[in-house]
Amino acid sequence: MNKNYKLSLALGTLFSFISFICTGAEKLPSPFIILPQPQSVILLKGPGLEPGKLQQIILKGEFKRPVTGNILSLLTIGKSTVSGTVTLILDKNNTAIPSKEGYILTISQDRVEIISSGEAGLFYGCQSLEQLLEDARDYRKPIPSCRITDYPVLSYRAVHFDLKHHLDHMNYYYESIDRLARYKINGVVIEFEDKLRYQRQPLVGAPQSISIDEMAALTLYARERHIEVTPLVQGLGHATFILKHQEYAGLRELSWNTWAFCPLNEGTYQVLFDLYRDAIAATPGSRYLHIGGDEIGNIGLCPRCKPMADKDGMLSLSLYWLKRVCEFARENNRIPIFWDDMPLKEGGVYESTWSDEVTSAQADKAWEEGIPKLDKLLTDFPKNCVYMRWNYSMAKQPGNIHALDWYESRGLKAMIATATNGEGGMLFQEDERDNGSASSGIINIRSFVQLAAERNISGMLCTAWDDKSPHMENFWRGFIAAAEYSWSPKGRTLEEYDNAWLQREFGLSVPDYVSFNRQLRRGSALWYEAYFKNGNLLSDENTLQSMQRVEHWLPALEGQEKIQFDYTTKLIELPDLKFPGSWSRKYKERLDRALTEADNYKTLSDRLVGLNNTSKRNRYYWQLSLALYNFQSTAPKMLLALKQTDSADETQRKSGFENVKKTLREFQLAWSEVQSVYSQTRFVSYPDNYIPDRYFHLASQREDLSWMIQSEELFFGMIEKWLQNQR
Ligand SMILES: [Zn+2]
């Protein structure tokens, strides 16, 4: 180490300290980007590090070489510091960095040094370096000499894999772990439902579920990348995946309802604890066990439970269950995580935590009245539990803030849960930034994470609900945004985030990404509505299942359990050729929208093809986008072809019929393509011996992907008949 280098190191350390106070004083010059945004960057004098310069890696301290990305993995282990060396220093007593996940990365013309007090910090330093090396290679520029001092603001940064209605192939999960590690995510909560092959209760696992061994191997793979896998096994409510089996019917609170267990039946705990034991075995060495516990309806009704519910209230039953499962967790060395909505409901404050209709004054009043109720229950709130406060909107509702305050003041540990798909569709996601409390998309993730950081809450879970079962790729922009903001809550603007995301994920620059996405999204909105008289595919009143009452805690209305309802009555009728033009007048608004979509089709599809062709990485995302775009574009095409048939002009009408037939064929091709792209990563159908897990979610209504095209199946069936009648 030469004198100047020593001096610069000393000065650099001094500057690093100063920069703790004034973060973001300097930025890496374009095109260099680290995602998530590092806490502090100081540019140093001297030429930068040329791509391809690094040859070897040296480890100083007792630790295993960290798992690294494609570029750093090529370096051989060296012994002495020469030009082209990356030196990793584990200095357990180093107090210059406020976290074992933090690191100082120093880059100069011919060498790199990463120092940390923890192995996680060295791993994250390598991830940052890998990103810079990627940019140096992609843009053929030297990395500027610099010192980066970095550490996360939130210490638990997790994302959610929800396997409720689908399962991806194992290799997709392995790839996902690598991808999450790049962005310094350190937790994955896997909601297994019936996708784990439980050994102690073998009925529960679906035929193609993941074996305990396979999941344990994934858990160890993740741990090597500093990601902890947490199992989520739903218990008291949300239990259809268990209670659907006739063999467990005796454990249901109500014999006809598969939603909830009876909390006072000991058999409930025998089954749940068996599932927990298997889930723990499948995730060896992990700290947490997520026990769900939200949306528990339909308890306190059986002869066993009713007296207790009448005497002590409904919540006493949930809390009894919570106490039992928390005891189990403690005995098994796990910290339970629990969705917090049921106690808040009992306290009368739940609505204030998410609804924008509740005013500040109403929220204050609700909490004033609710706190004594919650305090009274406090002795029954297990102390070893993490209370997960979820909010999928802007999170600034006064009631939500009261809830965080209450947990903090009562010494209960809270974490926050945000969502990558609050809107929950299966095509292009909404991303509305300028809509006040009704904003959607990554702005919501940032908002709640910033609130958590201000309140010193150290944990964040970015949920990815499978209710509409979009392809997992649709979640990634949100996952990576959660990584960005939980590491650096105030680092980047949303625009800066999008640029960083596009560069890191794809090696692309798309300056008008937001408006481009908005155009794609507009086509999705039309697709959802295209064939419905009112509302859209996602509206409750249009639910295309043999059950009129969609709330999961309500029985089907009497006589409607197996009703053969004619769902075509929910769809628009076809043109009546006796009255040419009347259909077009009636549906003018959607036909105008269809025309706009059709006009934009070539431009947008060409752009998606172009992005696919120029993307340096993760092209699959654009293949999927293109398949979804072509699929949703069949709706405006069909509407316009029908409009053409709605004409008094014989020639127009004739070519309209031809276009209708052509669009039917195009739809089949586009749909095949969606299935083919999906099947590259996920199972697109259940085996024949699968016992359906039906409830009100659209994605649970079929055993293959065809739940997505239920309205097309019905509407195109109408068209086939209609075409025959025109002959
Ligand atoms: Zn009961």
Side-chain angles (χ1 to χ4, degrees), residues 140 249 450 530:
R140 298 190 183 122
Q450 285 182 345

Side-chain angles (χ1 to χ4, degrees), residues 166-176 179 471-473 612 618-628 670-685 705:
H166 87 284
L167 183 66
D168 284 288
H169 305 150
M170 257 347 250
N171 57 349
Y172 186 72
Y173 295 121
Y174 278 97
E175 286 165 18
S176 296
R179 212 159 145 198
H471 193 287
M472 284 285 287
E473 285 297 305
N612 181 48
N618 296 328
R619 283 190 180 184
Y620 180 67
Y621 179 84
W622 302 112
Q623 286 164 25
L624 175 75
S625 297
L626 187 61
L628 291 175
W671 174 232
S672 299
E673 182 62 15
V674 167
Q675 294 176 87
S676 156
V677 174
Y678 269 50
S679 66
Q680 285 184 43
T681 70
R682 73 148 102 176
F683 295 96
V684 292
S685 63
L705 272 186

